Amino acid sequence: MSPNGSDRSPRRPMRRKLLQALTAGLVLATATGCTYKDFPRLGMPTPTTEEGPRILSLWQGSWAAALAVGVLVWGLILWSVFFHRRSRSKVEVPPQTRYNMPLEALYTVVPILIVSVFFYFTARDESKLLELQDKPPHIVNVVGFQWSWAFNYIEQVPGSTGDAKTDKNLKAIPDRFVEDFPENAGGVYDVGVPGTRNPQTGNPGPTLVLPKGERVRFVLTSRDVIHSFWAVPFLMKMDVLPGHTNAFEVTPSREGTMMGKCAELCGTDHSRMLFNVKVVSPERYQEHLKELAEKGQTGYVPAGIEQTKHEKNRETNNL
């Protein structure tokens, strides 16, 4: 009985608060606006490339591993709290253990194993995702600049003469990428400003058009500072660096228009550095290239900062 004569236990208010906190957490977790179909992706958008499911699987596996570790840690904490709390009737100091070699070995080895597993799957998937095929069907030079994007379609387009292999505007691109350019590719380009909008959707930024079901290589160059090329439903982004050329390949698997953005703080108007990706049929893609040529947007815009030949080709295909 409590000092004021009440049978009410002092633990009840704490238990009531704990129940309220758990209820609030459950409401927050279930009232996020996600449907049961969205939940398995754990916040990721639906992949729109053939490579996307690999990234999504890595994301889901990471969450599963983190949840398993979290349940183990939380379980041990709660077990200690409930079963090793101080007794109200006994005040003696419990037995003290100075060393426990098996336990110390366990909490040293287990984290190493966890990190090793994470490293293995990450390295495996990263190697596959960054793999470049010889002579890809399509090559697009993505040019980042403050504060918009330009897209050089390195293709053989009727009405466009020239050769991407010798074009002075593409001198910044290393020879190992130039080797895969198609012969006599006059090419076309599209370039935006922060005020550019997609004519169909009204979304801000220039529009990069890609063919569904055909592999595309993105060769990423910058004219000024570090940017980051991120088409959100690709589930993949890559830095666009001045003085260094990055590249990756995807195969779009779903038609439609999606949003893209710069994912690297690059200056005053970084938030306006947006673009669109429109995936269409291969036939419509070829029509788009012809339309750009008819508008006079033939050839290529400058790809980036020109480097000396030694520095430009310092890296090899094996890196």
Side-chain angles (χ1 to χ4, degrees), residues 50-208:
E50 293 181 4
E51 296 76 17
R54 177 182 290 272
I55 302 173
L56 180 60
S57 176
L58 182 63
W59 172 255
Q60 292 168 325
S62 300
W63 268 98
L67 182 60
V69 173
V71 168
L72 174 62
V73 173
W74 298 332
L76 291 174
I77 292 174
L78 293 176
W79 178 71
S80 300
V81 168
F82 285 106
F83 294 101
H84 292 279
R85 65 187 185 276
R86 180 180 176 181
S87 173
R88 290 181 174 274
S89 59
K90 298 179 182 180
V91 295
E92 70 273 10
V93 177
Q96 303 296 300
T97 302
R98 185 178 297 274
Y99 298 108
N100 189 319
M101 292 304 295
L103 184 60
E104 292 180 12
L106 179 66
Y107 64 62
T108 301
V109 172
V110 169
I112 293 176
L113 291 176
I114 293 172
V115 173
S116 298
V117 172
F118 273 124
F119 178 83
Y120 167 76
F121 285 106
T122 301
R124 181 199 66 180
D125 291 343
E126 181 180 343
S127 298
K128 188 67 177 177
L129 292 166
L130 297 181
E131 188 176 81
L132 301 180
Q133 295 183 356
D134 292 335
K135 304 293 182 181
H138 305 284
I139 300 177
V140 179
N141 170 217
V142 177
V143 185
F145 59 92
Q146 295 175 314
W147 284 273
S148 193
W149 303 89
F151 307 116
N152 286 323
Y153 297 89
I154 303 176
E155 302 259 4
Q156 295 175 343
V157 183
S160 177
T161 60
D163 188 355
K165 293 179 179 290
T166 59
D167 193 292
K168 63 180 182 180
N169 288 321
L170 303 180
K171 280 186 176 181
I173 299 176
D175 292 345
R176 66 182 184 279
F177 298 121
V178 174
E179 291 171 357
D180 288 328
F181 288 176
E183 298 292 338
N184 300 316
V188 290
Y189 69 87
D190 196 3
V191 61
V193 296
T196 304
R197 290 187 174 273
N198 180 282
Q200 284 79 36
T201 64
N203 293 334
T207 300
L208 170 64

Side-chain angles (χ1 to χ4, degrees), residues 283-300:
E283 296 77 18
R284 180 68 188 92
Y285 173 73
Q286 294 299 329
E287 291 177 7
H288 176 70
L289 299 183
K290 293 177 183 178
E291 290 170 0
L292 291 177
E294 291 170 358
K295 292 178 182 178
Q297 296 173 216
T298 57
Y300 306 103

Side-chain angles (χ1 to χ4, degrees), residues 12-40:
R12 290 183 178 177
M14 181 60 69
R15 291 177 179 175
R16 187 179 296 112
K17 290 180 180 179
L18 179 60
L19 180 60
Q20 292 172 348
L22 292 174
T23 302
L26 181 62
V27 170
L28 288 174
T30 57
T32 57
C34 296
T35 68
Y36 72 94
K37 294 181 179 180
D38 298 326
F39 180 75

Side-chain angles (χ1 to χ4, degrees), residues 163 245 273:
D163 188 355
T245 303
M273 196 168 167

